[in-house]
Every structure is written in structure tokens, then in C-alpha cells.
Amino acid sequence: MRTMAAPPIPRSTVARLPVYLRALLDEAVAENVLVSSGRLASLTGLSATTVRKDLAVLGSPGIRGVGYDVRALVDQISQTLGLHRGSSIVIVGAGHIGQALAGYGGFAERGFRVAALFDADPAKVGLEIGTLVVQPIEDLPAVVAVSGPTIAIVAVPTPVAQDVVDRLVAAGVTSILSFQPTELSVPGRVMLRNVDLAVELQILACMQSQRS
Amino acid sequence: MRTMAAPPIPRSTVARLPVYLRALLDEAVAENVLVSSGRLASLTGLSATTVRKDLAVLGSPGIRGVGYDVRALVDQISQTLGLHRGSSIVIVGAGHIGQALAGYGGFAERGFRVAALFDADPAKVGLEIGTLVVQPIEDLPAVVAVSGPTIAIVAVPTPVAQDVVDRLVAAGVTSILSFQPTELSVPGRVMLRNVDLAVELQILACMQSQRS
DNA sequence: GGTTGTGAACAAATTCACAGCG
DNA sequence: CGCTGTGAATTTGTTCACAACC
């Protein structure tokens, strides 16, 4: 018997899970034990039907006439997102963006541990940023091997970004988030997600001119 | 005769236009006059059919058997995105993220001018960041009134983010980009786009655990 | 009564296949 | 012959409507 094929979760649903998680954590902080699809909908700006469909694919246990158990949902979504493994992340580049990320509290809250901060500039190596010490980029393979981080954030100047990505891939990193205005290339097995701020702005500008 | 109703551009297409623009500008730099849908596809990671469908809704002038005129496409997309108006942007918050954004060259290249950088902290006011001088946040309404920026980037700590957004709205800003881990509320007429880095990471983590 | 869960209808987006043109 | 342009088919995602249940 082969491994049970987990039902594939639609991409659109995956993209919304973190949004639900955020809302659910707020509910948990407010000590609400139960939450209805309608309430989750208004908290997230989605429709109640969409919420129910999404939670259904998680195999989540809702109670008719009552709602969903907040704790159970948080656990289920965390599990589905793979956060139970406590993924650790490494940040490459100790410039403004890298430092901002290193000091960002939101990661820990949501199951990510920042394992290391690297920079190629010897002048930056040794600097203390929050609880981290900037390490030389040459240490990358060793850190990845030891703490097994699978996600890296690339926050370096564009000209060296591809080189950094290549090093990350060589070191065994399998997921990369970057902020470049250019496309980066990675082998097929590596997940790459790029957030281009100018693109975000352009989308805003367009929506505005369309009055949509 | 009423104003010609511009055919509504699908949201999915709008989201890709900035990606095309980026690739096209690279082509222009390489002094390529023409580009085929196939080439654009491989540059952007999309399918050739998608590219052609998208360019078709722009009413763009392709030449059969040859390709598209790079310059014409750049102009058409810029026009469609509303970049011809040379939108200026203001950045609120002169912390790490704000400073990184203020120094980011990618904006100017793509039609955005950073008009001002604000901070509420008197200790930061007057600092020179690149070509900008940090201004007190009280100047916001005056700057918006004069230079007419319609897009603002919110790069402040979460606790004060909603307050900043309210001030921006009051000052007449109509599009806002933020980096908060929480939902912000704005009147319906204001466009708000939020980039939550932890969400991006979670999506990466999930794709990885799904091997999709 | 209120809410979940879900099949069916609907809408949007992508891909296919190929005609039309340079 | 290569590439664009586009109707048709397919896939994907959302909304509706309502039965099932607590």
C-alpha cells in the first residue's frame, strides 16, 4: 500500500490559509473559543461560502449551528502549512531590508525562527542585530547543514542576487523569497517567490485609474 | 456620443502587466526592437497564449509572423497602468523599511517619483536619506496638497499603522501599500494593498510541503 | 434558529487548436 | 513558414441554494 495521497489543496485556498491563520490567532488572543464562517468572512473580507469551502478541504471539524473550534483550526492550518516543523529561515543581506526583517517580530509569532543573518561585507560581519550576529556568507553551507533551514530570504542588491541564489541552492535551501525587480532562475525543485515592490505599486496605480 | 467605454481589463491581466513591462524594459535596454509572444513567455515564465491574450486586450499592434514592437508595448502598458501621469509616492516611516524604500532605485525606473519621506519621531526629522530629507508627519497634508501624490507606502510599526492610514486618507491619498501583519481598514474609495511577509513565507512553506 | 457541508449553477482564467496574415 | 489573433474546450475558482445537523 502506497502512501495515502493527501487530497491536493487548490492553490487559491493555500493562498488564503495564512489569512485565516492571522484572523484565527487574533480570535484566540481575544479568547474566543468558537468562530463561525460568517465571522471569519467579515474578519478577512472573504465570503462565508468561500471560508466554508476552504475549511472543508482541510478536513476540519466544524459544528453545525455553532461554528468552528478556533484552536483546532489553528492547529490544522499550521499543520497544513507545514509550520509544525518550525521551519527556520535565513536572511542573506544585512542592509536596510535585511535588518528590518531580522527585527521583525511577526515571524516568530507565526512559527518561523530566524536562524541566521548573512552578509558578504566584512564590515558588517559581527554586527549585532537584535539577537542575531551577522555572519560571513561563507558560513552559509555549514549553517544550513546544521540547523536545516529550508527557507531563505534574499535581501541583497540586484547585481549579486543571482549569485546569492545559486549559493543558497547549492547549500540545499529549497524555498527562497526575494525582493528583486528582476526574474531569478532556480532549478525546478526549488520554490522561488519574488515580491517586486514596483509591481505592487503599478497594480495600485492601475486599479486607481480603472476605478475598479 | 458618450465617452468610449474602455473594455474592462481582467484583473489577472492587470496583475501581469507590470511583469511584461519589466521584461520589455530589459529588451529595450538590449536594443531589441521586436519581441515575439514566445520570447516574452520565456522571459516571464508564462505561456505564449496567455501573453497574446493579454496583449490583445490592450489593443496592441502585433505584426503577424514577426512579433510586437517593444517601444509600442512599453508605451501602451505604461499608459494602461496610468504611469504616464508620473505618479509620485510618499513614504511614511523612516525606519529600516522606509529607508530601504527611499533608497530603492527601481521606482524611478518605472515611472514613480518618491516625493517625500515622513516620520513622527522628531529625532529622525531632518535626516537625509539619499536625496530626501525626513519631514515631520504633520507636513503630510501640505505635501499631498502641493505635489498631489496619490500613492503612499506605510512602513511604520503596527500599533500606529491604522492611525497613519487614517491620516493619509484624510489628506486625500487614494492608494496605499502597507507591510502590516494585520488588516487595515479604509473607506471603499481608497485602494489598499497589503504585503504580509509572514504570509509569503507561509505560502512558500506550504508549497514545499506539498511538493507542488 | 443558526450554522455547517455540498452539489449544482455560474464565472473567470487558461489552454488548445487552428485560421489568417506578413 | 512563423507568428499573431481568437473561438472553442477545458480547467479552475466562486457563488448560490438548500438539505443535514446541532
Side-chain angles (χ1 to χ4, degrees):
Chain A
M1 165 188 169
R2 83 183 61 170
T3 307
M4 175 72 86
I9 301 178
R11 301 187 73 84
S12 53
T13 296
V14 169
R16 283 186 296 260
L17 290 182
V19 179
Y20 297 135
L21 187 55
R22 189 165 67 187
L24 287 164
L25 290 175
D26 288 347
E27 288 295 281
V29 167
E31 307 205 15
N32 291 338
V33 174
L34 295 166
V35 67
S36 71
S37 59
R39 172 149 178 80
L40 261 183
S42 69
L43 286 173
T44 58
L46 301 164
S47 80
T49 307
T50 300
V51 172
R52 290 202 296 279
K53 274 257 156 71
D54 284 341
L55 299 187
V57 306
L58 293 183
S60 104
I63 308 166
R64 293 180 199 230
V66 179
Y68 299 85
D69 184 282
V70 173
R71 285 282 292 276
L73 276 188
V74 168
D75 290 348
Q76 181 63 53
I77 293 177
S78 298
Q79 174 84 21
T80 305
L81 288 174
L83 304 184
H84 59 291
R85 282 175 301 180
S87 302
S88 57
I89 60 186
V90 295
I91 300 171
V92 184
H96 285 304
I97 296 186
Q99 290 191 32
L101 292 170
Y104 177 53
F107 291 147
E109 281 170 24
R110 298 211 251 140
F112 295 102
R113 188 177 64 88
V114 179
L117 176 58
F118 297 99
D119 203 292
D121 180 356
K124 289 219 178 93
V125 171
L127 276 182
E128 288 181 31
I129 312 289
T131 63
L132 294 169
V133 175
V134 178
Q135 298 178 254
I137 194 160
E138 288 76 17
D139 289 2
L140 182 64
V143 170
V144 172
V146 171
S147 90
T150 48
I151 301 181
I153 303 182
V154 177
V156 300
T158 302
V160 298
Q162 184 64 57
D163 178 57
V164 166
V165 166
D166 293 342
R167 285 183 191 230
L168 287 167
V169 171
V173 168
T174 56
S175 297
I176 298 174
L177 178 64
S178 89
F179 299 92
Q180 300 303 321
T182 64
E183 291 292 336
L184 297 170
S185 69
V186 293
R189 76 196 133 84
V190 176
M191 303 280 119
L192 175 68
R193 208 171 159 84
N194 193 48
V195 175
D196 183 339
L197 297 175
V199 166
E200 301 295 330
L201 285 179
Q202 285 170 352
I203 292 173
L204 268 176
C206 183
M207 298 200 312
Q208 167 184 308
S209 69
Q210 275 203 153
R211 180 117 8 252
S212 102
Chain B
M1 163 186 173
R2 82 181 61 167
T3 307
M4 176 72 85
I9 301 178
R11 301 187 74 84
S12 53
T13 296
V14 169
R16 283 187 296 261
L17 290 182
V19 178
Y20 296 134
L21 186 54
R22 189 164 67 186
L24 287 165
L25 290 175
D26 288 346
E27 289 294 282
V29 167
E31 307 204 15
N32 292 337
V33 175
L34 295 165
V35 67
S36 71
S37 59
R39 171 151 179 80
L40 260 184
S42 67
L43 287 173
T44 57
L46 302 164
S47 79
T49 306
T50 301
V51 172
R52 289 202 298 275
K53 272 257 156 69
D54 285 341
L55 299 188
V57 306
L58 293 182
S60 104
I63 307 166
R64 296 182 195 224
V66 179
Y68 299 85
D69 185 281
V70 173
R71 285 283 293 275
L73 276 188
V74 167
D75 290 348
Q76 181 62 52
I77 293 177
S78 299
Q79 174 84 22
T80 305
L81 287 174
L83 303 184
H84 59 291
R85 282 175 302 182
S87 302
S88 57
I89 61 185
V90 296
I91 299 171
V92 184
H96 284 303
I97 296 186
Q99 290 191 32
L101 292 169
Y104 178 54
F107 291 145
E109 281 170 24
R110 299 214 248 138
F112 295 102
R113 189 177 65 89
V114 178
L117 175 60
F118 298 99
D119 202 292
D121 180 355
K124 291 224 179 88
V125 171
L127 276 181
E128 288 182 31
I129 313 288
T131 63
L132 295 168
V133 175
V134 178
Q135 296 179 255
I137 194 160
E138 287 75 18
D139 290 0
L140 182 64
V143 170
V144 173
V146 171
S147 91
T150 48
I151 301 182
I153 302 181
V154 176
V156 301
T158 302
V160 299
Q162 184 64 58
D163 177 56
V164 166
V165 166
D166 293 343
R167 286 184 191 229
L168 286 167
V169 171
V173 169
T174 57
S175 298
I176 298 173
L177 178 64
S178 89
F179 298 91
Q180 299 304 321
T182 64
E183 292 292 336
L184 297 170
S185 70
V186 293
R189 76 196 133 84
V190 176
M191 303 280 119
L192 174 69
R193 206 169 161 84
N194 193 46
V195 175
D196 183 340
L197 297 177
V199 166
E200 301 295 330
L201 284 180
Q202 286 170 352
I203 292 173
L204 267 178
C206 183
M207 297 201 311
Q208 168 184 307
S209 69
Q210 278 203 149
R211 181 119 6 253
S212 100

